Each structure stands twice: as C-alpha cells, then as structure tokens.
Amino acid sequence: MNTFIRILQFTKSYRSIMILSVIASIIYVLLNSMSIWLIGTMLANVMGGNSLSIVNPTTLNEHLNFFIQNLIGRGQQIDQLKMLCILLTIIFISKNILFYTSNLIMAYVQNNVITDIRVLLFNHISKLSLSFFNNTKTSELSSILIRDISGMRVAFSQSLQKLIVEPISIASFLILLFIIDVRFSILVIIIIPISGFFSYQIGQSIRRKSKRNSIQSAGILNIVKEALSNIKIIKIFNLEDSENKKFKTENKKYFNLIFKKSILSNLLTPINETIGLSVGILLIWFGGISVLEDQTMQSDDFIKFILLLFAMLQPIRKLSNVNVVFQNGIAAAERVFSILDNENKIVQRKNPIHIDDFNSSIKFKEVDFKYAGNENMILENINLEIKKGHTVAIVGKSGAGKTTLSDLIPRFYDPYNGNIFIDNNDVKDYSLKSLRSLIGIVTQNIILFNDNIKNNIAYGSKNANDKELTNALKSANLYDLVSKLDRGINTIIGENGVKLSGGEQQRLSIARALVKNPQILILDEATASLDSESEKKVHQAIDNVIKDRTVLVIAHRLSTIVNADKIIVMDKGKIVEQGNHKELLELNGIYKRLYQIQYN
C-alpha cells in the first residue's frame, strides 16, 4: 500500500478530473444495480409475480418495489413490460456513456502519471553521481526505464479504474441483497473474505516472482548488450556457440519464472468461480425451499436475489484478477522507486557561486579519496597546484589514481578528506553547471553518438556557428577528411563512431572540446590506443587545443608530455615525484625508470 500511495501522489495535479471520473463511476454503479433490479422485476412480471401490486409499503424492499411500480405505471402487464424495456434501454445507454467517460478520464490520468514518472526517473538518473553508475549496470537501468515503467503502465491502466468501480459495485449489490433478505445475504458475505484471502496470497507470490522476472530480464538485456558490443571478439575467438548457449540458458530461466507466475495468475479465476458457484447453489437450494415450501420469500425477490448474487460475482472476480495485475505493477514500481530513492552524492549548495572565468590556479590540499563501499584509499594526501596557463602532466602505473584525481576537478566525485580549490574557492561552493562549463575533457574511451559529425562536434555547444565548427575541424586535423565525404559534416558516423577510424574518432572528440572552448582542459590518455601516424595527427590537434589554456594531461607515453610545465609522478595513490622533464630525470627515480623502459 505504501508503494501504491506513493504512486497516487503523482496524481495530485489531476485530482479535479479524477473526482469527475469517480462521480461518473458511482452513477454508473447505481444505474447498473437499478438495471439488474428492473430485469428481476421484468422477469417476475412475466412469470406473474406480485411485486407490482404493493399498496402500502412497509419494508425498504417494498418501498423499492413501490418506486418501480410507480415508475412503470399500473396498467396491463404488457404495458408495464413495454415501459420496463424503455427504461432498461435508457439506463443501459446512460451507464455505458458514463462507463466510457470514466475510463477515458482515468486512461488520461494514468498515462500522464506514468509519463511523469518516466521523465522524473530519467532526469534523476542523469543527475546521479558517477559512483552510482560504477555500481549499477546500464542494462538494468534500461530495463527499469523501459520494461518496468511499461509494467506500471499496463498494471495501473487496468487496475486503477477497477479499484474504484468494482468495490462500489460490490457494496451496491450487497446493500440490495440485504434489503431483499438478511439471512441469505450473511451467507453471501462469506465469499468476499475467502476470495480475498486467496487473492492476497497468490498476489504476494506473483509480486515476488515479478521482481525476479525484472531482474532476470535485465540480465538478458545485459547479455545482448555485451554480445553486440563485443561481436568482433566473439567471432575471432569462435565463441558464437558459447554466447548462444549462455543466452539460451538465461532465457530458459526467464521462461521458468514467467511460467510459474502464469500458473498462479490463471489459478485465481477457477478458485473464485468454485467458491461463488458453491455459495450460489446453496442459496438457490435454500431460497427455492423458502419460495416453494416455506413461502417466507416472494418469487420475484428470489429472482432478484439470484440475479444480484451472480452479478456481484463478476466484480469480485474482476477485483481478484486486478490484484494479480496490480501486484505486477507494484513490483515494477518498487524497482522504479529503488532508483528514485538513490540520493545524489554530489550535492550543490544553496545559493552557489557562479564562476565565469578561471583566473589563478587549481589547488589540491591534503586530498584523500576512496570509492563508496571500498575500504582502500585510491588517493592519499594529494597536495598539488596547477597554475593558469600551465600544462601539467600526470604519469604513473595503471591504477595509480591518475584519472580519479582528474575526475575530482569537475566534481564527478567529492574527496573523502581534504579540499579542492579553484581561484581560492572550494569547488563545492560553485554551481555545478558553471564549474563544468569551464572544463573540457578528452578521454581515451571516446564517447560519440549515432548522429552526424556536426551534431557530435556541437554537442553541448548548440549555439556554435558554422565558422566555429569549421575552425574546430581544421584545428583537429579533420577538415580535409570531412570535406571528402559525400554528405560532409552531415555524415552519420554510426554507433560510437564506428564508421570512423580510432584516430578520426579521437580527433572528433578533440574538435568537440575545441568548440566548447573550455578554459581548463583535461586530456586523459588521449593517444594511448593510436598508431604512430594517427598519434602524430592527434598530437598536432592537441597542440592546437592547449594554446592559451590550462591543461591537465594524463599519459602513459612520456613523449607526449616532455614539454609540460610540470610533471606529476604518482604511485599507489600518492604523489611521489614532481618537476619538469629535466628535473625528474636528474632525480633518478620512478620517472627516469619509466623513461628508460619506454626508450630502451
């Protein structure tokens, strides 16, 4: 119920039209109950019952019959039958118009609520810190955004309206049954708790299985994603059959979960039908005795009672089936809310400072860092100053903490201890948007979109004009290549830039950084995976990029950073050496050993 109440909170802005839907539903239920009472009256009239010969009503049942009697008139039976048919026609048309209106309103609300939740979820995910993505599979997030949200849509489009209409229908039918005969109505009440018990137990089991289904579905999606992303490796190692087997195994597990859920889902209707039929047969037997032998019940009342009883079984059955669908929706909603409940670790302070220009330096002061859930420090006691206009390089073995250090500047993470200052203000005091607008990043793992070259370069710089784009292409040594393409700058480059070579992808990434025109530039292993010719072109592009900028370069190849103003040597998360190229060689330490290894 907590999850359902939480979903209902998203309906606040739609409550006025929801009230209209509820009113339409209530009127529909009243008309539906009246139509069944009229059908019972009509059958009694045809069979020669005496419900239309009341003069001085005393009981509530007689008052209702007296009302119907006045409504259809006191003429011949054929005239009364004619009037009953006219009334039934009017009632059925009216109640179906109300039913359609109520459903349409609720469909509008439900779809809007689900859309609002999906948009909210995507916005929330996009604002979460990188530590969240380090611990969460992309395929799982995709499954929640698509499959679980769709599960919520299906569940609540089918259930929310029925959760309003069916209980009102059951209550309405029960009142009429009690009006006709209290004794038999008490027996009817037995159906509701028994049916509710089975519905609850089965629903809880379905909910648990739905959660496992969602997790398994995300696992299948992850296999698909990894297989398609690494299809070249799969083929070169002849592992197609192995991947197919893995995919088949996971799908078999998914089938077993789905089938078990289907067993439970389809079990509920037969159980409820059996309970309802058993009670119905008992009532027909004892009611028949009351009419035929004891004469404690009028025949027309007996007909109405049986009609109302079997009419009530339908909303009970629907309500039970709704619980099955409802539990699927609740399971999906719980997974959605589990993501929404993740708090952003990078919190912007109230009334933050807006920074437009970088004026003096970046300072690390006694900075320690470790990832969430990890006891080992990745960075320890980092003290470092990067002056404006200087190029500072960071070198060291893999796992030394080089990339982590650079990720602290744009606040992808916050330090565990210590502070980072830009222009003597803690980076936590700046607004995230203004801070990151100062910074450009070119990484080894190039991030490109399945779009044209123009949109990839202008990504994050939507106001860039054609001249700026052209200059960026020239500076990145890409202009000649793009000019030769049939569609030029409008050429689609494929997913992750698959239609470009590694060097071309890297230079496109550099062009994007140039268009942004950042005052602080981070180059993270920008040439590590390139051949010599591509590396040379990329270096020329980098030389164009770093002019008049503050640059932090992370590199394995020391040839790329020999001219840096300062070189930082890291080992096991600590700064162990720093100085320029010449000074570090004279230290005869780690840097010199790295240099000797690379240059034999």
Side-chain angles (χ1 to χ4, degrees), residues 68 106 127 156 166 180 193 252 277 280 306 314 359 393 403 414 418 447 477 501 505:
I68 297 297
M106 293 309 296
K127 292 176 181 177
F156 292 101
E166 307 310 339
I180 295 170
K252 185 66 176 176
L277 182 61
I306 296 303
Q314 186 177 4
N359 297 312
T403 299
D414 280 336
I447 301 168
N477 287 327
S501 70
Q505 291 174 8

Side-chain angles (χ1 to χ4, degrees), residues 200 203-204 206-207 210 322-332:
Y200 176 79
Q204 291 299 306
I206 286 172
R207 182 171 164 183
S210 293
V322 161
N323 186 50
V324 172
V325 181
F326 182 71
Q327 292 301 334
N328 285 326
I330 290 295

Side-chain angles (χ1 to χ4, degrees), residues 59-84:
T59 65
L60 188 54
N61 184 20
E62 289 178 349
H63 276 286
L64 281 173
N65 287 328
F66 186 71
F67 170 75
I68 297 297
Q69 176 179 293
N70 291 329
L71 196 63
I72 66 176
R74 299 174 182 272
Q76 298 295 321
Q77 281 186 312
I78 191 67
D79 295 326
Q80 293 175 344
L81 185 62
K82 180 182 177 181
M83 183 55 68
L84 279 169

